[in-house]
């Protein structure tokens, strides 16, 4: 089994999707904007994550995006023996829609639906459906920092058992320098339960984003995640995970 069985699954959740309208300069710091994009990352577990997004608009005030992601690696990797591989480990598809509502406190809100799949070794696959909302708090009230509260309801199958639960995030985006670079930080709490299966995780995430060209269409991204997960498996075994620090580095291209 790959380390704690749920860890790659939570990693799918821990990746915020950048979404935005057409502008002369790309600004992925705002999570309630949508851009057509592609990305590739390598994680400290030696997994490779690739993704793509297409965007459009229903009206001047309503934009949408379709997102797809896949993770490949060594399915038989164990602790201390991470290695590159070509096994399919998991995937995700999302529809995102953002509305400009012209509210002085929260000028934009977004709604998303996700389908998330994870391969497990020794257990049935995980397949979840998630629906949620994210909003931008007016930076005038937060000292110039962009704050995005996010809540999601989740249901589906984990290790062959029906579960449901929720996930909470609060994203903070802090710009630095004059080239568009920014830091993004967010805590995340996730809890799902079933008749026997139960899983609770807590993660603290830090992501550094820097453009590598003047048009800001290419970005170098480095992410650190300090997380732990406690769970009860289908046969009743209780696993209490220690906090682990994981990293990933990659590139995003905006079009």
């Amino acid at each position: 089994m790959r380390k704690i069985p749920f860890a790659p699954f939570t990693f799918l959740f821990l990746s915020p999707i950048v979404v935005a309208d057409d502008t002369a300069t790309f600004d992925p710091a705002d999570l309630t904007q949508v851009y057509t994009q592609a990305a590739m990352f390598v994680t400290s577990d030696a997994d490779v994550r690739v993704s793509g997004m297409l965007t459009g608009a229903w009206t001047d005030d309503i934009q949408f995006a379709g997102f797809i992601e896949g993770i490949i690696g060594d399915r038989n990797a164990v602790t201390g023996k991470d290695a590159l591989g070509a096994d399919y480990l998991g995937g995700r598809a999302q529809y995102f829609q953002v509305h400009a509502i012209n509210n002085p406190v929260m000028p934009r809100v977004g709604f998303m639906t996700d389908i998330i799949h994870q391969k497990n070794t020794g257990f049935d696959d995980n397949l979840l459906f998630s629906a949620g909302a994210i909003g931008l708090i007016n930076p005038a009230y937060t000292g110039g920092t962009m704050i995005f509260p996010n809540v999601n309801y989740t249901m589906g199958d984990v290790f062959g058992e029906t579960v449901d639960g929720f996930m909470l995030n609060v994203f903070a985006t802090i710009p630095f320098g004059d080239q568009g670079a920014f830091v993004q930080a967010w805590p995340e709490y996730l809890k799902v339960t079933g008749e026997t299966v139960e899983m609770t995780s807590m993660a603290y995430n830090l992501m550094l984003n820097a453009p590598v060209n003047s048009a800001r269409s290419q970005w170098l991204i480095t992410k650190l995640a300090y997380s732990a997960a406690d769970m009860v498996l289908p046969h009743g075994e209780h696993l209490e995970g220690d906090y682990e620090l994981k990293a990933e580095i990659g590139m995003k291209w905006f079009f």
Side-chain angles (χ1 to χ4, degrees), residues 32-244:
T32 58
Q33 297 289 332
V34 296
Y35 301 106
T36 297
Q37 62 182 268
M40 182 172 69
F41 295 86
V42 177
T43 78
S44 55
D45 290 333
D47 296 336
V48 176
R49 181 165 61 91
V50 294
S51 64
M53 174 184 284
L54 295 175
T55 63
W58 297 119
T59 69
D60 289 342
D61 294 329
I62 303 176
Q63 287 79 45
F64 66 88
F67 174 86
I68 189 168
E69 176 180 78
I71 300 175
I72 60 174
D74 184 356
R75 188 181 303 160
N76 298 313
V78 295
T79 302
K81 295 184 179 180
D82 295 324
L84 290 171
D87 297 323
Y88 167 75
L89 303 179
R92 175 185 180 190
Q94 182 189 75
Y95 174 78
F96 182 90
Q97 184 167 297
V98 60
H99 297 246
I101 59 176
N102 298 317
N103 182 285
V105 177
M106 189 171 286
R108 286 193 299 277
V109 295
F111 304 94
M112 70 283 289
T113 58
D114 287 86
I115 298 175
I116 303 155
H117 177 243
Q118 179 207 10
K119 298 288 291 185
N120 289 318
T121 300
F123 292 92
D124 292 337
D125 291 355
N126 297 336
L127 181 63
L128 288 188
F129 170 80
S130 178
I134 188 170
L136 167 64
I137 298 176
N138 192 332
Y141 299 104
T142 57
T145 299
M146 286 189 283
I147 303 294
F148 306 88
N150 170 234
V151 59
N152 294 270
Y153 170 73
T154 301
M155 62 180 294
D157 293 322
V158 173
F159 305 137
E161 185 173 312
T162 300
V163 300
D164 70 344
F166 64 94
M167 180 185 68
L168 302 174
N169 294 285
V170 179
F171 298 95
T173 297
I174 305 169
F176 66 91
D178 57 3
Q179 302 300 315
F182 62 93
V183 174
Q184 207 160 68
W186 69 100
E188 176 182 275
Y189 178 77
L190 172 69
K191 183 178 179 67
V192 293
T193 58
E195 184 176 348
T196 302
V197 169
E198 181 176 333
M199 186 271 184
T200 302
S201 72
M202 187 71 204
Y204 303 92
N205 306 278
L206 181 68
M207 191 161 63
L208 307 178
N209 304 257
V212 297
N213 61 2
S214 58
R216 301 185 187 178
S217 61
Q218 300 176 30
W219 288 70
L220 176 65
I221 300 175
T222 303
K223 179 188 170 189
L224 299 174
Y226 186 61
S227 62
D230 296 333
M231 67 192 71
V232 178
L233 301 180
H235 52 265
E237 181 183 1
H238 182 206
L239 298 180
E240 186 172 343
D242 296 327
Y243 272 93
E244 291 184 280

